[in-house]
Each structure stands twice: as C-alpha cells, then as structure tokens.
Amino acid sequence: MAGVVLDSVVENKHVESTKDYRLPFSAMATLFFLWGFITVLNDILIPHLKHAFDLNYTKAMLIQFCFFGAYFIVSVPAGMLVRKIGYKKGVIVGLLIASLGCLLFYPAAAVHLYWVFLLALFVLASGITVLQVSANPYVAALGPEKTASSRLNLAQALNSLGTTLAPKFGGLLFFSTAATAASVAGADAVKLPYMLLALTLLILAVIFIFLKLPELQHEETQANVAKQSILTAPHTIFGAVAIFFY
C-alpha cells in the first residue's frame, strides 16, 4: 500500500542536475518491493493459523486487524520520529523494528500462543509504517520535482510485484508437505520464512547504515505548519477515506 506523501516538507539541498540518484532510488525501491511482499503474506497466514489454532473466522481475521491497526496507531508517532531523526535514520529504524517483528514469529511458534503471533504482526507492521513514512517522501525528493510522480509510480509498481510473488513463496513454505509434516499443529511452518525475512531486513538495515544517501531534512516554517492541517487539504481527506474503504 502506498503511504501519504507529505507536500512542502521535503527540500532537496543538492543540485539536481548534477546529482546521480540511481543508487539511492534503487535502494529505496527495494524497500517498496519488500514491504509489499511481507504485507501479502498475511493473506496466507490467515488460513494457516486458522487451522493451526482451530480459530473461528473472527479470530482469524485479527491477523489483518492487528497488522493494519498498526498503520493507524503508529503513523503519527512514526512521523514525529522521522521529523526528529531524519529520513535515512527513519528507514534504518523501520527496518530494525520490522526485523524484530519477524524474529518474534519464532518464539510465537515455539510457545504456540496465538496472541504472540498477533503481537509479532503488530511489531512487524509498526516497522513497515515507519518505513512508509520515511520512504515515500524520500523517493519523491530523489530527483527533479517534475518526475516525482513517475518515481513513486515505479516504486509502487515494484511494491505490486512483491504482492504478486509473495503468495507463491508463502504457499511453498507454509503449505509444503515437508513443512506441514515437521510442524507442531502447523504453527512451526512460519519459522523458516519469517526468519529469512528477518535476516533480509537486518542485512538491508546494515546496508543503509553504510550507504551514502543524500541528507534530506524535514523543514518547517510557520507558514508550512499552517498548511499541514488536514481540514485544509480535501485531497488528503478523500484519499484517507478511499484507503479506509480499500
């Protein structure tokens, strides 16, 4: 899912005509692919954990509720965090939190408690929320303003590619005969895929620590603060309503 790109809060301090943004954009696009991939794994988890814990449909759908509930709860604190530490550090923090959420799937499967799975999903989604708050404005700022929408569309296309590939990947790991036979009531089958995701996220966090990215600062003037009221931005309101129904 696309995050909301904040207008008039990101200013690129580099000369666009001489700056090569291909490497930083490629790094950011990788994040879009990865969080699309992770998000769609929830759809595979629902029937898997429903069977493993003998859940009714209401309890099974708590998977989506806890995951996307984090978007609602964490989005404002994530914005405050990114404003304080910057976009690059925000990406790193988001990757580390998401990795922690993936790691929590291991003890969740070990103790075989459904609420621990839900906690892991909430932590994972909290990390992705921080990533979205950091990455969307960052991608918009990595180059000329007139091509910002094109860069965002390309990044979102990679996000959609992740949502396309994830069901195949998850199906092979969650529902393979070998995985099912080796699991305890089916719960252990989530260990391997989420440990792999945790490792991938950690590697990306380390890469971003050492990657030379343009320093983009969140700047606010008194005029900009006044413009940030949601009530004065009808497009934002309509977009939020559309995403809610989505």
Side-chain angles (χ1 to χ4, degrees), residues 104-234:
L104 286 175
F105 275 82
Y106 195 95
V111 299
H112 200 69
L113 293 175
Y114 184 51
W115 71 266
V116 184
F117 279 102
L118 298 179
L119 174 63
L121 283 165
F122 184 87
V123 174
L124 172 57
S126 297
I128 293 179
T129 303
V130 177
L131 282 176
Q132 293 214 30
V133 171
S134 304
N136 279 284
Y138 207 107
V139 168
L142 287 176
E145 182 179 352
K146 64 181 180 180
T147 58
S149 59
S150 298
R151 291 192 298 278
L152 284 167
N153 283 336
L154 177 57
Q156 292 299 336
L158 292 172
N159 182 271
S160 297
L161 178 62
T163 65
T164 302
L165 297 179
K168 180 67 173 179
F169 172 85
L172 288 174
L173 288 178
F174 291 169
F175 296 112
S176 66
T177 303
T180 303
S183 66
V184 178
D188 281 356
V190 304
K191 288 182 178 179
L192 176 60
Y194 280 94
M195 291 306 99
L196 291 175
L197 286 172
L199 179 61
T200 301
L201 291 166
L202 281 174
I203 292 173
L204 281 174
V206 173
I207 291 174
F208 270 89
I209 290 173
F210 294 101
L211 191 63
K212 298 295 183 182
L213 294 177
E215 290 295 334
L216 305 178
Q217 299 298 327
H218 179 104
E219 293 192 357
E220 285 185 341
T221 63
Q222 196 64 31
N224 284 336
V225 173
K227 292 180 180 178
Q228 290 177 9
S229 172
I230 293 179
L231 297 179
T232 63

Side-chain angles (χ1 to χ4, degrees), residues 43-117:
D43 298 327
I44 302 173
L45 272 179
I46 291 172
H48 186 75
L49 295 184
K50 182 178 183 298
H51 173 74
F53 291 94
D54 193 25
L55 304 171
N56 58 33
Y57 282 104
T58 300
K59 291 181 179 179
M61 291 308 297
L62 286 175
I63 292 172
Q64 296 284 33
F65 182 82
C66 287
F67 190 89
F68 290 107
Y71 283 52
F72 178 76
I73 295 172
V74 180
S75 58
V76 173
M80 297 170 63
L81 175 67
V82 171
R83 181 182 296 113
K84 183 176 182 180
I85 67 176
Y87 290 97
K88 178 180 176 179
K89 291 181 180 178
V91 168
I92 295 170
V93 170
L95 286 168
L96 293 175
I97 295 174
S99 179
L100 174 62
C102 290
L103 288 173
L104 286 175
F105 275 82
Y106 195 95
V111 299
H112 200 69
L113 293 175
Y114 184 51
W115 71 266
V116 184
F117 279 102

